[in-house]
Amino acid sequence: MNVKRLMVSASGEDTFLKKLLSNKAAIAGLVILLSLVVIALLASFLSPYAPTALVAEPYLPPSYSHPFGTDGLGRDIFSQMIHGTALSLEIGFVSAAGITILGTTVGIISGYFGSYVDEALMRIVDVLLVIPSIAFMIFVAVILGPGLESVLIVIIVFGWPPMARMIRSQTLTLREREFVESAVVSGAPKWYILGSMIFPNVISLIIANGILAVIYGVIADASLAFLGLASTKNYSWGTVLYNAQNEGAVFHGGIAWILAPGIFIALTGIAITLIARAIDDITDPRYSAVGR
Amino acid sequence: MEISNLSVKFPSLKGEVTAVDGISLSIDQGKVLGLAGESGCGKTTTGLTLLRMIRPPGVVEGDIEFAGRNLLSLSDEELRRFRWKEVSMIFQGAMNSLNPVKMVGSQIADSIMDHTKKTRLEALKMSAELIRRVRLPPDSIHKYPHQLSGGQKQRIVIAMAIALQPKLIIADEPTTALDVVSQERILDLLKDIVSGGSSTVLFISHDLSVLAKMCDTIAIMYLGKIVEMGSTRDVLASPAHPYTSALIDSNITIESMNSTVESIKGYPPVPINLPTNCRFSDRCPFATQECFDSEPPQVDLKNGHVAFCYHPRKENGR
Amino acid sequence: MEDEALLELRNATVTFESRNRRINALDNVSIRIGREDRLAVVGESGAGKTTLVRCLIGLTRPSNGSVIFKGRDIHRSGRKTLKEFRMSVQIIFQDPYGAMNPKHNMLQYITMPLKFLTGDMTRMEMETRAEELLGYVGLKEDVLWKYPHQLSGGQKQRVAIGRALASDPEFIIADEPTSMLDASAAAGILNLLKKLADTRKMGYAIVTHNMGVAAYSSRDIYVMYSGKVIEQTETAALVSSPRHPYSKVLLDHAPRTLSSVFAENSKGVNLKGDSGEHDPWAEKGCRYMQLCTRAVERCASEFPPLAGNESGRYACFNPLENELKRGQ
């Protein structure tokens, strides 16, 4: 009847890392991601120019010496991208970590404990979801001043509620499942049920949302730059994109200027998605069996 | 309906899973064939294959001849017309697949209109007639699924299945999810409906007493193969294959109160890369060396009753 | 009979709110379970069987009434009582697949009670004990490393029994343990439960809709309808002479042997309309009345109390005759 059931697992003994490294998608993702990290670390060696140096005519099209062309002041966009990698990755990952930790914790606690705990936490979520974020961002900018911290705070504060909601609803359905009850009658304490019954079964949802959070972080950074909340002293992919729009890249034929940050953001997204899918597959015991 | 040498395989990392392994069956026009066996024996897969519902990576081989056509070579468009109109299915959880926000009468009408050129009014008239045929009160037509009991919902599903007078009805455990009382009533209803003889029925169930009640002929499946086949009374009253007798003996009934019901020892193996021998050999109390070595022959008993076994039980003991 | 009950449900009522009305899924039910009892609770879906099980195992707290374990109310006693209760009274769920975490293997599943109830065991000891438990339920030890999707329903249900046995319970409650299984696997599970009860001096209660299963596995039986116990007696007495009309209906629809099916086939089909048009949660009167062929005037106005003596009680104003007595 259930054909899937009949497909017995290959072997349960392989370590997680070994499984990850034997997964083609994971390797592709890791290679892209590591390259980006290397670029970020070696930015000063890899970039031909300083990001702020005026090195050529403004609005140059791509060429061998300026692969993405130059901006409105004659600065090399390729170098800006290289230098922006570190900050973008930092913003992306730090905000994703913040969003994931907050969203998961609140979601699981709210969903599992229910009643007034749930009620209170969900009202906070509702409030955050209805506050106009732009207005709040300006407010934070005024209080904290522009800078990396303000950017991260704003991204995290507005980023976690949707995730908390999703995790909560998943937890709600898991809580009613018989395997949770069989843990209860086995005398399992709440921490075990949360950590060992609920959490492993929401982890794929957490990862999926975590990835989106990285990309959300990178993009939110770009929009915050637009509001003047991000620090323009340091380059991120977002600020390059913002500059492109601000200095009329389209009008001056600077397609590569716009494409460059887009491609980098997309590459990051693809890399994390590949890794996340691989992790999801590996942690699901049913999958290790079925050759899809 | 003629199935010959039908196999269904699914690839997996460990090798090919053979869900159905070269079975041949035929059902006469207007008769009811029962397909019995433990879960995982390939009954449901067989039913799904007849509806052409096996999707890649599943591989289907063999021939299914139905009303003069080979089902396995129908185009997608032919297939769409073929389903419901010529073949319909009633499955176990079907009552939960009704649309909760639509009145059941119009759901029946919708499925009629999807497959015929009938107007809405005609279709609604037909659904009223169908509701009468499945013995629900006439006002049921205006009810929503949540206002009906499980048995009543299953009746609606039956009404939809017989709406276009299909030549073949596949019933896969149609009553298993129901309460005992409604279960019996639904079976009575189904029996009444098919006794007209206009539809051929493939009735899939693991419950032998249900099959005994419903079927003209019965085929017992084990691990993708048919092990015994014949008229229901012949097979169930004088089983020849040890697996059939074991299935019959393991049935718990109200009469088994003060005796011990024996279950079949062991579990069916996973059907991956199976050797060619008797599939039941490792669980069979009568197995001899030849059972482990090669595939058993077809043994013909009286009246088309066949068994695939080296040691079939004849009339007077084994 | 007068010794202290192991587990007792006293006048338990569980109320659910549904579509603006309150429904007593369990309505003033009292059940007394002795140490080595073999009980069956029979009823159709909606009879309150699952709610009863959840109450008995402490997963649902009755809105009214109490659950008494060895003289102590489990919802009013401390952690220690609850732990002792969990060790002595265990459960087998209906759906063995649903009762297992898809991400845990059988070792993790079966050792849960060892981790949290019996305590103080090393990993090795737990593994040894888990192998021993698999032995009791007739499985080989390689099952320990399998995940739920790799086992058949019957095998999973055996592992589930293994988990229930881990804390050496005195009593096991099984909620429809066979309804998701094939006939053969079902017989295996019931035989296993009977054997375990014999060898371990353990009692069990099987909750089922199948009168055949109940008759096969129990000595005493409770029949439930719409949240109430409507008949309670020895199983043998109920099978040979049910007093409540509903018990009779359930018996008439119990699975029977193939030969009796063939005999019935020759009689032809007897078609009746479907029931279910009635309201099983009527505020007053007997809830079964609308479907009952023996209803009398009084049934509409008051609910018949569960009355009788030690050997049997039933809730009916117009019961069927006692065939046993008449025969004597």
Side-chain angles (χ1 to χ4, degrees):
Chain A
M1 320 242 103
N2 189 347
V3 178
K4 238 182 176 172
R5 203 198 77 211
L6 301 172
M7 304 189 181
V8 175
S9 149
S11 80
E13 327 307 335
D14 285 355
T15 62
F16 177 76
L17 197 65
K18 213 169 150 191
K19 280 187 194 161
L20 193 67
L21 291 180
S22 64
N23 187 308
K24 280 183 202 130
I27 289 182
L30 284 172
V31 167
I32 301 176
L33 199 62
L34 281 177
S35 322
L36 287 171
V37 171
V38 169
I39 290 173
L41 291 176
L42 303 178
S44 7
F45 297 101
L46 289 175
S47 66
Y49 312 98
T52 47
L54 311 177
V55 291
E57 298 287 307
Y59 301 119
L60 280 184
S63 64
Y64 179 73
S65 48
H66 305 290
F68 294 138
T70 57
D71 71 1
L73 293 173
R75 294 173 296 197
D76 180 41
I77 295 166
F78 181 69
S79 301
Q80 292 177 352
M81 286 302 302
I82 301 278
H83 279 276
T85 304
L87 187 57
S88 281
L89 287 185
E90 188 185 336
I91 292 173
F93 281 100
V94 172
S95 51
I99 288 171
T100 306
I101 292 170
L102 254 169
T104 305
T105 316
V106 171
I108 289 187
I109 290 178
S110 192
Y112 185 72
F113 289 98
S115 76
Y116 58 90
V117 179
D118 181 37
E119 203 58 38
L121 289 173
M122 283 304 113
R123 289 301 78 78
I124 296 176
V125 166
D126 288 347
V127 168
L128 281 174
L129 285 174
V130 296
I131 288 183
S133 49
I134 305 280
F136 186 76
M137 285 172 186
I138 294 169
F139 175 71
V140 172
V142 170
I143 294 190
L144 295 178
L148 184 60
E149 291 78 20
S150 336
V151 170
L152 288 175
I153 289 173
V154 170
I155 293 177
I156 293 174
V157 164
F158 283 99
W160 70 269
M163 179 145 178
R165 278 217 162 164
M166 227 170 294
I167 301 287
R168 169 181 174 268
S169 62
Q170 180 82 357
T171 307
L172 276 179
T173 60
L174 285 169
R175 191 181 64 172
E176 304 292 324
R177 296 274 295 274
E178 281 188 344
F179 67 77
V180 171
E181 302 196 322
S182 80
V184 173
V185 298
S186 297
K190 289 199 170 66
W191 61 262
Y192 179 85
I193 291 170
L194 285 176
S196 209
M197 293 284 159
I198 308 273
F199 184 71
N201 286 293
V202 289
I203 201 146
S204 49
L205 196 65
I206 293 173
I207 291 172
N209 282 283
I211 294 155
L212 295 178
V214 174
I215 300 159
Y216 168 81
V218 173
I219 293 170
D221 167 52
S223 19
L224 289 175
F226 183 81
L227 285 173
L229 188 55
S231 161
T232 40
K233 269 176 285 170
N234 296 312
Y235 277 93
S236 69
W237 300 338
T239 32
V240 173
L241 194 62
Y242 164 64
N243 286 340
Q245 189 212 4
N246 217 21
E247 295 173 21
V250 179
F251 183 69
H252 291 96
I255 298 300
W257 191 357
I258 298 167
L259 277 183
I263 289 170
F264 272 69
I265 292 174
L267 271 180
T268 316
I270 290 169
I272 304 170
T273 310
L274 287 172
I275 297 170
R277 267 201 56 181
I279 292 176
D280 191 20
D281 292 347
I282 291 166
T283 53
D284 186 347
R286 269 165 300 189
Y287 185 77
S288 57
V290 191
R292 240 191 283 168
Chain B
M1 172 109 211
E2 189 82 44
I3 301 170
S4 40
N5 229 356
L6 181 74
S7 295
V8 184
K9 295 174 178 146
F10 298 92
S12 85
L13 280 188
K14 264 207 156 178
E16 228 171 24
V17 174
T18 312
V20 178
D21 190 4
I23 66 168
S24 299
L25 276 176
S26 65
I27 318 177
D28 292 339
Q29 166 73 37
K31 294 284 182 200
V32 183
L33 172 76
L35 209 49
E38 290 171 285
S39 55
C41 73
K43 313 180 294 251
T44 296
T45 311
T46 306
L48 290 176
T49 313
L50 297 189
L51 279 171
R52 281 273 307 272
M53 302 257 266
I54 304 291
R55 300 239 156 80
V59 182
V60 180
E61 288 158 11
D63 283 309
I64 305 173
E65 199 80 38
F66 176 68
R69 274 180 302 169
N70 189 348
L71 279 194
L72 296 182
S73 59
L74 290 184
S75 70
D76 285 353
E77 178 53 28
E78 286 172 311
L79 194 63
R80 202 189 63 80
R81 267 179 288 153
F82 165 78
R83 285 188 191 147
W84 283 112
K85 208 163 175 186
E86 297 193 32
V87 179
S88 63
M89 189 157 184
I90 307 165
F91 49 96
Q92 184 173 350
M95 57 197 185
N96 300 322
S97 63
L98 295 174
N99 184 346
V101 295
K102 263 192 144 171
M103 287 185 287
V104 292
S106 61
Q107 291 191 51
I108 302 177
D110 284 350
S111 71
I112 294 172
M113 279 155 52
D114 280 350
H115 291 89
T116 60
K117 294 205 173 73
K118 295 230 161 27
T119 62
R120 181 149 198 93
L121 191 66
E122 287 170 320
L124 280 171
K125 271 188 191 153
M126 272 177 79
S127 23
E129 167 60 20
L130 285 162
I131 279 176
R132 195 190 59 79
R133 262 195 87 189
V134 295
R135 301 188 182 253
L136 285 173
D139 63 336
S140 310
I141 196 167
H142 302 299
K143 294 221 162 135
Y144 291 93
H146 73 261
Q147 295 170 304
L148 301 173
S149 70
Q152 290 172 320
K153 278 187 277 187
Q154 198 67 326
R155 278 165 199 259
I156 298 292
V157 172
I158 293 171
M160 287 164 88
I162 60 172
L164 301 172
Q165 291 166 337
K167 297 197 190 100
L168 175 67
I169 299 174
I170 297 168
D172 187 359
E173 308 269 10
T175 58
T176 308
L178 299 175
D179 278 326
V180 275
V181 181
S182 33
Q183 190 166 346
E184 199 162 300
R185 290 189 179 150
I186 296 277
L187 288 177
D188 285 337
L189 172 74
L190 271 174
K191 199 168 176 181
D192 183 56
I193 284 173
V194 302
S195 64
S198 59
S199 297
T200 307
V201 181
L202 178 70
F203 201 103
I204 301 170
S205 176
H206 70 274
D207 189 337
L208 291 180
S209 51
V210 167
L211 293 174
K213 187 182 171 92
M214 297 298 298
C215 305
D216 303 302
T217 52
I218 189 168
I220 313 282
M221 268 184 98
Y222 183 72
L223 274 185
K225 280 198 177 293
I226 288 176
V227 296
E228 184 165 2
M229 194 161 45
S231 83
T232 308
R233 200 176 257 273
D234 285 344
V235 172
L236 295 182
S238 46
H241 197 285
Y243 179 63
T244 312
S245 349
L247 269 189
I248 294 171
D249 291 343
S250 67
N251 234 3
I252 291 179
T253 65
I254 194 82
E255 285 98 336
S256 49
M257 197 172 161
N258 296 313
S259 53
T260 301
V261 175
E262 288 301 331
S263 66
I264 308 172
K265 63 163 188 163
Y267 298 93
V270 179
I272 295 179
N273 305 333
L274 289 174
T276 43
N277 62 359
C278 174
R279 293 288 152 84
F280 190 56
S281 51
D282 55 344
R283 297 172 75 186
C284 180
F286 307 106
T288 54
Q289 195 53 46
E290 53 190 347
C291 305
F292 292 102
D293 292 341
S294 56
E295 210 156 317
Q298 173 172 340
V299 180
D300 289 292
L301 303 123
K302 55 170 190 186
N303 309 332
H305 179 185
V306 296
F308 296 84
C309 182
Y310 280 111
H311 313 287
R313 185 163 57 184
K314 303 273 166 43
E315 282 302 312
N316 310 312
R318 203 165 285 273
Chain C
M1 279 307 270
E2 279 312 303
D3 59 340
E4 187 190 48
L6 176 72
L7 183 59
E8 209 182 333
L9 208 56
R10 268 188 213 152
N11 307 329
T13 298
V14 176
T15 311
F16 291 120
E17 301 266 352
S18 147
R19 287 202 199 102
N20 308 325
R21 65 190 284 197
R22 294 155 68 84
I23 280 174
N24 289 343
L26 211 57
D27 196 345
N28 198 15
V29 168
S30 298
I31 281 185
R32 201 182 143 87
I33 294 175
R35 208 165 286 260
E36 286 181 46
D37 279 359
R38 296 180 189 191
L39 301 180
V41 178
V42 187
E44 294 181 284
S45 55
K49 290 174 300 180
T50 299
T51 312
L52 175 76
V53 168
R54 295 180 58 92
C55 277
L56 283 174
I57 202 72
L59 285 173
T60 296
R61 185 172 181 167
S63 340
N64 260 315
S66 45
V67 189
I68 312 288
F69 166 67
K70 293 188 177 168
R72 287 163 287 176
D73 185 329
I74 60 162
H75 294 290
R76 269 171 245 255
S77 314
R79 235 167 232 280
K80 224 178 115 224
T81 309
L82 193 64
K83 196 169 162 185
E84 201 191 322
F85 168 66
R86 294 249 178 271
M87 286 181 71
S88 338
V89 182
Q90 268 300 336
I91 179 170
I92 302 161
F93 290 100
Q94 169 174 20
D95 175 6
Y97 193 88
M100 292 174 179
N101 186 339
K103 308 233 165 178
H104 280 186
N105 64 21
M106 294 301 118
L107 177 67
Q108 284 167 295
Y109 175 73
I110 209 169
T111 53
M112 270 194 301
L114 302 177
K115 248 184 235 161
F116 304 115
L117 290 174
T118 48
D120 282 340
M121 275 177 122
T122 64
R123 241 193 104 77
M124 275 312 292
E125 284 168 342
M126 278 199 232
E127 222 177 290
T128 318
R129 173 82 171 132
E131 284 172 9
E132 191 188 338
L133 289 167
L134 286 184
Y136 294 147
V137 297
L139 291 172
K140 290 204 220 77
E141 51 229 49
D142 62 328
V143 168
L144 282 186
W145 310 105
K146 300 252 160 114
Y147 287 89
H149 66 278
Q150 296 170 320
L151 299 171
S152 74
Q155 285 172 310
K156 273 185 290 229
Q157 201 58 295
R158 279 170 189 264
V159 180
I161 296 178
R163 185 204 59 83
L165 290 177
S167 58
D168 272 320
E170 297 167 87
F171 200 83
I172 287 187
I173 296 167
D175 185 7
E176 296 271 18
T178 59
S179 69
M180 315 278 270
L181 306 179
D182 294 322
S184 166
I189 293 294
L190 296 180
N191 289 341
L192 174 66
L193 272 176
K194 283 173 152 186
K195 194 187 94 190
L196 289 169
D198 287 339
T199 54
R200 302 172 76 96
K201 301 235 172 296
M202 185 189 82
Y204 59 74
I206 286 183
V207 178
T208 176
H209 67 276
N210 184 327
M211 202 47 118
V213 167
Y216 183 64
S217 53
S218 70
R219 285 197 290 249
D220 294 286
I221 194 163
Y222 290 80
V223 183
M224 289 188 71
Y225 185 81
S226 183
K228 283 189 179 279
V229 172
I230 52 123
E231 186 158 5
Q232 174 226 330
T233 179
E234 279 171 27
T235 309
L238 186 95
V239 170
S240 50
S241 172
R243 306 299 304 279
H244 196 286
Y246 179 66
S247 309
K248 174 104 167 68
V249 168
L250 280 184
L251 274 172
D252 288 345
H253 288 86
R256 41 211 58 241
T257 54
L258 298 176
S259 44
S260 31
V261 175
F262 287 131
E264 232 161 71
N265 273 356
S266 50
K267 277 190 253 158
V269 186
N270 172 23
L271 276 180
K272 284 165 251 151
D274 200 358
S275 60
E277 280 303 305
H278 75 298
D279 178 9
W281 304 106
E283 300 279 324
K284 59 178 197 175
C286 176
R287 287 174 178 174
Y288 185 61
M289 192 193 89
Q290 281 147 298
L291 296 178
C292 190
T293 49
R294 299 176 60 87
V296 292
E297 208 171 311
R298 207 172 155 204
C299 302
S301 52
E302 49 185 309
F303 193 94
L306 188 64
N309 51 30
E310 271 304 309
S311 65
R313 292 169 224 275
Y314 50 86
C316 186
F317 290 128
N318 186 17
L320 295 153
E321 253 180 80
N322 190 340
E323 305 281 340
L324 293 178
K325 280 214 180 102
R326 207 171 53 167
Q328 274 161 11

